[in-house]
Amino acid sequence: KPGEQKHSKEPSSLQCMHLAVVACGDRLEETLIMLKSALLFSNRRLCFHIFAEDSLKPEFEKKLKEWPSSYTKRFEYNIYPITFSVGNAQEWKKLFKPCAAQRLFLPVILKDVDSLLYVDTDVLFLRPIDDIWHILTEFNSTQLAAMAPEHEIPKIGWYSRFARHPYYGTTGVNSGVMLMNLTRIRNTQFKNSMIPSGLTWEEMLYPLYQKYKNYITWGDQDLLNIIFYFNPECLYVFPCQWNYRPDHCMYGSNCKGAEEEGVSILHGNRGVYHDDKQPTFKALYEVIRDFPFEDNLFQSLYYPLQSKFLDTVHTLCGRIPQVFLKQIEKTMKKVYENRVIVYLGANHRY
């Protein structure tokens, strides 16, 4: 049909990789550092979908325009108001963290977007988004979203010990990094605990919240766990290095994928970028925040990071620096090689 977005199994290199984030309250800087980390390492063009309170919109526009043109030409962005299409908007807005429930409504709002990566504001990319975007091609015919487990070890996991509602698998899933095929979500009838027949995503959200609101602790993440408990065939589970949190190292190292490959996406939940409880997480945040866009990555990002890590070796997470450094070092080598090859290739033509 004219104007209808085509859905292909392999996202074309000509298409944007769509990245969505929801920012309310004091999350402006965190969101900008997340977007910066995405931009530093990505190969293909990015489309940012920023959902923000009205007061933050001018600040986002001002800051994004200050980035150098060599980077701003590699992305486009839209800033949207916070809106909830079903139920009580104030109730949704206050669920768990301010505005976090907005992510539940992305399939309804972004009707022209086929696939999307949603991340929390406290996420940092340590490798190209292209790599997690490629996971869309690994979905089978029923899968429409991908998330990482909430925990690796059921006996110390939150859901397996305390949840008073259904949740996915043995440990539940964490919604801070969520890859979605929005077309499939919009076209699926979801099994549920309310009526015998299926419901669309939009039809299901508010009744589901009403049914479980007295039993949920982690807001919209709990609702997603309930949805995928009833529809497990719809979820692709990716490994913990794609959503690496303090829980993966503060009780001893329990993310094998990160030990083997390094952290791919860092998720600094519990406010660890802004206090001194997990200095390894804070070090990564500060180094990416302070990196001047057009400087040498090794000189102005990797070496300062190594130096900061030396001060964290006395901490549980700091004892395993290779977990944090392995992937980002590999990524920077690739970025550097690509730029050198492109530069030499361009010069070779003359």
Side-chain angles (χ1 to χ4, degrees), residues 302-341:
Y302 188 67
Y303 297 141
L305 189 58
Q306 280 185 315
S307 172
K308 274 179 178 276
F309 267 39
L310 289 175
D311 299 330
T312 73
V313 291
H314 63 285
T315 67
L316 279 168
C317 293
R319 289 188 308 182
I320 46 172
Q322 72 284 359
V323 165
F324 294 87
L325 295 173
K326 190 184 286 187
Q327 190 59 242
I328 196 167
E329 181 182 9
K330 192 173 160 188
T331 297
M332 286 195 292
K333 277 181 181 165
K334 273 189 191 166
V335 171
Y336 180 71
E337 283 164 11
N338 286 347
R339 285 178 190 168
V340 168
I341 288 163

Side-chain angles (χ1 to χ4, degrees), residues 48-90:
F48 297 148
H49 300 273
I50 303 165
F51 290 81
E53 290 174 309
D54 294 343
S55 59
L56 293 179
K57 184 178 178 180
E59 283 296 305
F60 271 115
E61 289 180 333
K62 177 173 173 267
K63 296 287 185 186
L64 290 170
K65 281 171 186 164
E66 287 171 2
W67 289 359
S69 61
S70 57
Y71 282 90
T72 55
K73 67 185 181 188
R74 291 173 41 210
F75 72 90
E76 55 193 73
Y77 70 90
N78 281 300
I79 301 175
Y80 309 83
I82 302 295
T83 51
F84 302 99
S85 58
V86 292
N88 182 321
Q90 282 309 309

Side-chain angles (χ1 to χ4, degrees), residues 6-292:
K6 290 179 183 173
H7 171 59
S8 56
K9 193 176 179 194
E10 168 65 88
S12 154
S13 60
L14 297 172
Q15 289 177 323
C16 267
M17 295 180 293
H18 294 270
L19 178 64
V21 64
V22 179
C24 284
D26 59 358
R27 299 299 178 123
L28 176 77
E29 183 193 72
E30 236 180 40
T31 306
L32 288 164
I33 308 308
M34 180 278 290
L35 297 174
K36 182 180 183 181
S37 73
L39 199 53
L40 284 176
F41 305 130
S42 67
N43 298 315
R44 287 188 294 200
R45 187 170 179 76
L46 291 165
C47 285
F48 297 148
H49 300 273
I50 303 165
F51 290 81
E53 290 174 309
D54 294 343
S55 59
L56 293 179
K57 184 178 178 180
E59 283 296 305
F60 271 115
E61 289 180 333
K62 177 173 173 267
K63 296 287 185 186
L64 290 170
K65 281 171 186 164
E66 287 171 2
W67 289 359
S69 61
S70 57
Y71 282 90
T72 55
K73 67 185 181 188
R74 291 173 41 210
F75 72 90
E76 55 193 73
Y77 70 90
N78 281 300
I79 301 175
Y80 309 83
I82 302 295
T83 51
F84 302 99
S85 58
V86 292
N88 182 321
Q90 282 309 309
E91 217 171 357
W92 283 120
K93 192 171 181 181
K94 291 173 185 169
L95 183 63
F96 187 44
K97 286 183 181 173
C99 308
Q102 182 73 75
R103 87 186 88 183
L104 296 173
F105 294 86
L106 297 178
V108 181
I109 298 166
L110 300 175
K111 292 186 188 299
D112 296 327
V113 177
D114 175 60
S115 296
L116 178 84
L117 177 64
Y118 164 86
V119 295
D120 285 348
T121 59
D122 52 10
V123 154
L124 292 171
F125 293 92
L126 306 187
R127 69 188 287 181
I129 286 193
D130 310 60
D131 297 339
I132 190 169
W133 191 257
H134 184 74
I135 290 174
L136 287 165
T137 68
E138 297 174 17
F139 282 13
N140 66 24
S141 59
T142 62
Q143 289 164 339
L144 45 75
M147 288 188 274
E150 171 65 21
H151 217 288
E152 303 307 300
I153 305 163
K155 67 180 180 185
I156 58 172
W158 193 91
Y159 283 109
S160 43
R161 290 184 297 158
F162 304 118
R164 294 158 58 210
H165 58 78
Y167 57 90
Y168 179 87
T170 55
T171 60
V173 282
N174 183 280
S175 59
V177 179
M178 187 176 178
L179 189 62
M180 293 181 269
N181 183 318
L182 299 182
T183 302
R184 286 187 179 182
I185 290 174
R186 286 187 286 264
N187 293 338
T188 296
Q189 293 281 320
F190 291 88
K191 299 189 289 293
N192 61 86
S193 58
M194 295 164 291
I195 62 168
S197 60
L199 289 169
T200 67
W201 185 265
E202 189 173 14
E203 288 168 344
M204 174 174 58
L205 289 178
Y206 195 61
L208 196 71
Y209 167 66
Q210 286 298 317
K211 178 168 182 175
Y212 290 104
K213 68 179 178 181
N214 295 326
Y215 304 99
I216 59 178
T217 303
W218 307 112
D220 49 303
Q221 177 172 293
D222 290 346
L223 292 179
L224 289 165
N225 267 282
I226 294 164
I227 290 168
F228 291 113
Y229 169 83
F230 290 105
N231 301 272
E233 72 287 354
C234 293
L235 191 67
Y236 177 109
V237 179
F238 49 65
C240 48
Q241 66 265 33
W242 293 103
N243 186 350
Y244 191 90
R245 285 158 276 129
D247 285 7
H248 288 119
C249 51
M250 60 195 274
Y251 308 115
S253 182
N254 60 43
C255 175
K256 296 291 175 231
E259 287 172 23
E260 289 162 14
E261 292 181 25
V263 174
S264 296
I265 294 178
L266 192 75
H267 184 181
N269 63 345
R270 304 173 182 266
V272 293
Y273 296 147
H274 312 294
D275 61 31
D276 297 317
K277 291 177 183 169
Q278 300 297 338
T280 39
F281 283 76
K282 190 176 183 180
L284 267 155
Y285 179 80
E286 289 179 347
V287 165
I288 293 173
R289 179 193 68 195
D290 298 340
F291 173 70

